[in-house]
Amino acid sequence: FIYGSSVYVAESGRYRVQKLTLDGYPSSFSAGGIQDEVYGNGLYGWASGTMPEPERETGSGFFAPYGVYVNASTIFTVDQEQFNIQLNNMDGSFIREMGTMGSANSNFLQPGYITADSSGNIYITDSLRNDVQKFTSGGNFILKFGSPGILDGQFNNINGIAVNSLNEVFVADTGNHRIQVFTTSGSLLGTIKKFGFRMEDLYQPVALAIDPGNDNIVLTDGDRIKIFTRDGRYITGWGQSGKGNGEFNNPKGIFVDSRGWVYVADTDNNRIQVFAPR
């Protein structure tokens, strides 16, 4: 996730969130639009690395940090193994946690991705509950939508989530090979379903982002990146399995900044790749 001039990256294997600077890099990209293999210099991270009990009061109590969202005052981090969301100040100091393990409202079984709408309300996907829960920015539960299944409005292994400028909520319904679109109150607006193995199809969409310049949907699908219009028309795509520039190994995070640059968490290659607008 990018806020201001910083990139925030959840690093599950080291129990921490790293804050990376955007400073010191050229304003244009090399041929192919790839800024080297690894992006960013670590400024600081917060993590105890202590098992089994982390030091929560220091804001370092992560076991499996996953999704990250940042606003002007707070860093929200999804911790899959703690079944909660941790709130930290901008310096990493601990504020509080929201959520516990379970199936009731404000509970989680496998929280994954997180985003917010224009009012600052927080949305969190849960791939075991197969629903989306909505909270105020202070962590108070508002509503939930979705349930396990294959019907419209249901999910199978839900993952990425993003909100566009119209406050339309896009959800990666990975196991059903589709993107579903909802209002902020959880009403279904439509479905982007193009099952197949071509670049212009959807097979297993995972991470989602919205290009703030045009509301295009940018997503990871297997080891490829794909871009669609908000109504589902395919625009372009790139990538394949591998370790080279422009290749991916299980990418699980994606973000588009105000310039249209695409940042991809190339998870199993242990790097962030950055691409120029296409």
Side-chain angles (χ1 to χ4, degrees):
F1 189 88
I2 297 176
Y3 185 82
S5 60
S6 299
V7 182
Y8 295 81
V9 181
E11 191 178 5
S12 296
R14 299 183 69 180
Y15 318 108
R16 67 182 183 180
V17 172
Q18 286 202 67
K19 180 182 179 183
L20 309 177
T21 180
L22 291 175
D23 296 335
Y25 290 90
S27 58
S28 60
F29 291 99
S30 60
I34 301 168
Q35 170 66 43
D36 226 8
E37 289 189 1
V38 182
Y39 188 85
N41 292 324
L43 291 180
Y44 64 87
W46 42 96
S48 67
T50 304
M51 299 293 283
E53 267 310 309
E55 293 294 330
R56 295 245 172 92
E57 66 273 14
T58 65
S60 57
F62 298 126
F63 279 132
Y66 203 83
V68 179
Y69 170 75
V70 183
N71 64 22
S73 62
T74 307
I75 302 164
F76 299 80
T77 305
V78 176
D79 193 324
Q80 286 195 326
E81 291 192 13
Q82 290 292 332
F83 312 103
N84 63 27
I85 315 304
Q86 187 174 137
L87 281 64
N88 295 79
N89 290 308
M90 300 303 284
D91 63 358
S93 58
F94 178 71
I95 300 175
R96 70 181 188 87
E97 295 169 349
M98 50 184 277
T100 57
M101 182 179 179
S103 299
N105 295 341
S106 299
N107 291 171
F108 301 101
L109 292 178
Q110 193 167 34
Y113 290 84
I114 182 170
T115 192
D117 62 26
S118 62
S119 298
N121 297 313
I122 303 298
Y123 300 77
I124 300 162
T125 64
D126 192 311
S127 59
L128 285 183
R129 289 172 49 127
N130 277 303
D131 62 15
V132 176
Q133 294 191 69
K134 177 181 178 180
F135 300 84
T136 66
S137 59
N140 297 318
F141 176 82
I142 299 175
L143 58 84
K144 69 176 180 178
F145 57 90
S147 61
I150 62 174
L151 301 178
D152 290 345
Q154 295 182 323
F155 301 112
N156 179 11
N157 188 23
I158 186 177
N159 278 287
I161 187 167
V163 181
N164 69 8
S165 67
L166 302 175
N167 272 338
E168 297 169 330
V169 183
F170 293 77
V171 182
D173 187 8
T174 305
N176 286 326
H177 315 288
R178 64 188 180 184
I179 306 297
Q180 295 199 71
V181 190
F182 299 84
T183 66
T184 55
S185 60
S187 298
L188 182 68
L189 291 173
T191 301
I192 301 171
K193 186 173 179 67
K194 299 185 177 185
F195 175 74
F197 303 98
R198 301 173 302 171
M199 186 65 82
E200 60 265 36
D201 298 328
L202 290 175
Y203 176 58
Q204 288 187 331
V206 174
L208 286 180
I210 299 296
D211 187 330
N214 49 34
D215 274 342
N216 288 337
I217 310 159
V218 187
L219 59 92
T220 68
D221 189 337
D223 289 331
R224 297 185 287 189
I225 310 302
K226 302 178 180 182
I227 301 178
F228 295 85
T229 62
R230 59 177 284 271
D231 60 356
R233 179 174 55 84
Y234 174 74
I235 299 175
T236 190
W238 68 93
Q240 62 182 9
S241 299
K243 298 181 178 180
N245 288 345
E247 297 177 336
F248 304 100
N249 186 359
N250 192 24
K252 289 186 176 180
I254 196 163
F255 190 87
V256 184
D257 70 14
S258 59
R259 301 162 296 185
W261 295 2
V262 180
Y263 301 72
V264 182
D266 188 8
T267 304
D268 288 347
N269 281 329
N270 301 300
R271 64 187 182 182
I272 307 292
Q273 294 198 68
V274 188
F275 301 85
R278 295 189 173 217

